[in-house]
Amino acid sequence: MSRDKDWDNAFTATSLHGTVDGSPSYAGALSFMRRKYTRDLAGVDVAVTGIPLDLATSNRPGARFGPRAIRAATPGISWARPWPWDFDPFDRLAVIDYGDCEFDHGEPAAIVPFIQKHITEILDGGAASLVLGGDHFVSYPVLKAYAARHGPLSLVHFDAHSDTWSEKTRRLDHGTMFYHAVREGLVDDSSSVQIGLRTTNDEPMGFNILDARWVQENGPAAVAARVREVVGDNKVYLTFDIDCLDPAFAPGTGTPVCGGLSSFQALEVIRGLGGINLVGMDVVEVAPAYDVGEVTALAGAMLAAEFLCLYATNPERSA
Ligand code: MN
Ligand code: MN
């Protein structure tokens, strides 16, 4: 690609395919992985969209800045296909940056239906969404949109927390939404897996739990094998709370918990899931104000890029 002619791909792209090489990693629009910024969903396989909400955090806020930080970390990894995959996800998938979901934080009661509508528009356009959070609560309205289209989903959930605490109330925050998602039939807990948990919940519902100790003792390949066994051919929604990673690898988050996964372990699990029936994905809880050297944003960016590789392993979805 000739830089003077085509730079910057976020504005000038004439194709939605192909890795964009040769652009300076320190400059240009903050589109995800140099993808074209557009709301045109024609021919699109995956629309990347930010949901900059952090009103549902229970501890430190700041994940509203997550989408921007993750995007800013992507030029450094977008010059070649993600290692160690043997294909380029952008050869197989048409991926765009759809921009962020805008909502009025002053009308909190309207936020859930608004986010659901935002995601429904993407699904109605024939694409899947890759959501950049935002606190983890954003997965709840996203799942409402997905379940309306696909029926109950198997959740593959990476987290230090179960996010199924309920206190038997109707309240919703970033630690209760999966309780409600199961109760409302958005998620089938018995065919879902939670990975990396290391906080106490005496009422964990019916989820299959591979806690942080299980991951350390058995390793990523065994985690991936167990996940594939549990989800089978079901439609899978993949949600990755960045606090699944140990604070050494992801300090920039609202509720860090020691003793978590390394970035290598998490990435290896993702790489071991090829062929699952993935229909949507998110990476949430990146809060750059608490980050050090942008390592958390980079982890979020690399995970998101590998989610695209994983999504592309389903031949039905490839170009
Ligand atoms: Mn968490
Ligand atoms: Mn969470």
Side-chain angles (χ1 to χ4, degrees), residues 136 157 159 163 174 241:
H136 211 162
H157 171 204
D159 208 319
D163 295 349
H174 76 156
D241 183 330

Side-chain angles (χ1 to χ4, degrees), residues 20-192:
V20 180
D21 192 9
S23 303
S25 59
Y26 49 83
L30 294 182
S31 76
F32 179 84
M33 297 287 281
R34 302 293 197 198
R35 308 326 297 169
K36 185 182 179 96
Y37 257 124
T38 179
R39 291 259 157 136
D40 182 356
L41 291 164
V44 171
D45 297 302
V46 181
V48 181
T49 186
I51 305 183
L53 174 92
D54 61 11
L55 293 171
T57 48
S58 54
N59 188 18
R60 307 186 298 187
R64 70 179 60 183
F65 297 102
R68 197 173 276 180
I70 293 170
R71 285 190 178 97
T74 60
I77 61 169
S78 62
W79 53 274
R81 73 169 192 263
W83 181 91
W85 300 82
D86 63 0
F87 63 89
D88 186 330
F90 301 121
D91 289 342
R92 295 191 182 182
L93 300 172
V95 182
I96 60 164
D97 193 321
Y98 195 69
D100 288 344
C101 176
E102 291 187 27
F103 50 84
D104 185 350
H105 68 272
E107 293 192 54
I111 288 175
V112 167
F114 200 92
I115 295 173
Q116 182 179 351
K117 177 168 167 287
H118 179 81
I119 298 300
T120 299
E121 286 169 359
I122 291 172
L123 299 180
D124 285 349
S129 61
L130 166 52
V131 165
L132 312 176
D135 72 49
H136 211 162
F137 176 76
V138 303
S139 299
Y140 173 71
V142 172
L143 283 167
K144 279 181 171 282
Y146 270 84
R149 171 161 299 266
H150 294 291
L153 297 145
S154 290
L155 200 64
V156 175
H157 171 204
F158 292 81
D159 208 319
H161 311 89
S162 66
D163 295 349
T164 54
W165 292 282
S166 71
E167 300 167 358
K168 301 290 186 290
T169 69
R170 291 179 56 82
R171 66 185 299 278
L172 283 162
D173 72 12
H174 76 156
T176 67
M177 69 285 171
F178 292 144
Y179 171 88
H180 296 285
V182 171
R183 283 288 182 269
E184 294 173 27
L186 313 179
V187 166
D188 173 29
D189 51 353
S190 67
S191 65
S192 297

